[in-house]
Amino acid sequence: FLKSVVTKTAEGWVSLPTLNTFNKLRSATNGDLSQIREACKLCSDVLELRNNEGVDEVRRVIPLPVYDDSESRTIYIENVGPDATHEEVMRCMSRFGSVNYVSLP
């Protein structure tokens, strides 16, 4: 959910009221936005806080690194028949988990 909110603006701002919809955060702060605001100020090395038209917003100073774990989720299969199709391989391998891509010679 939060990722979809962050990507709604080019700069990645999220309003404090939106953050306050998270149950654990709301519970920890008793729904007090000033506590969230103060916590954000304490993390100024990684978070930027601003007031936009009366609404406090926060964003990361340094974006999260993009993690590509596709190599660790890639399998190689040998001895596939020369007449095998992408669909056949995908159907066969999907018994073991989600298949996102099939490459055949």
Side-chain angles (χ1 to χ4, degrees):
F1 167 75
L2 187 56
K3 188 172 184 177
S4 68
V5 173
V6 168
T7 57
K8 284 183 181 178
T9 66
E11 300 87 19
W13 293 100
V14 178
S15 73
L16 296 193
T18 298
L19 290 178
N20 202 32
T21 64
F22 289 90
N23 293 333
K24 287 188 179 185
L25 185 58
R26 188 173 54 246
S27 174
T29 62
N30 295 316
D32 185 356
L33 292 179
S34 66
Q35 288 186 29
I36 299 172
R37 186 181 311 105
E38 291 306 312
C40 291
K41 288 179 183 177
L42 292 173
C43 299
S44 62
D45 55 330
V46 292
L47 296 176
E48 183 179 0
L49 187 64
R50 75 172 183 185
N51 188 284
N52 183 26
E53 299 180 6
V55 177
D56 287 328
E57 297 177 324
V58 66
R59 72 173 174 179
R60 292 182 59 86
V61 173
I62 302 169
L64 285 173
V66 176
Y67 178 67
D68 180 10
D69 65 342
S70 60
E71 188 66 30
S72 67
R73 296 180 295 114
T74 299
I75 62 170
Y76 299 92
I77 305 168
E78 295 182 355
N79 299 323
V80 176
D83 297 332
T85 66
H86 288 84
E87 293 77 20
E88 289 171 333
V89 173
M90 188 171 282
R91 185 174 51 251
C92 177
M93 298 314 299
S94 65
R95 293 183 289 169
F96 304 103
S98 175
V99 177
N100 295 322
Y101 177 74
V102 172
S103 175
L104 295 173

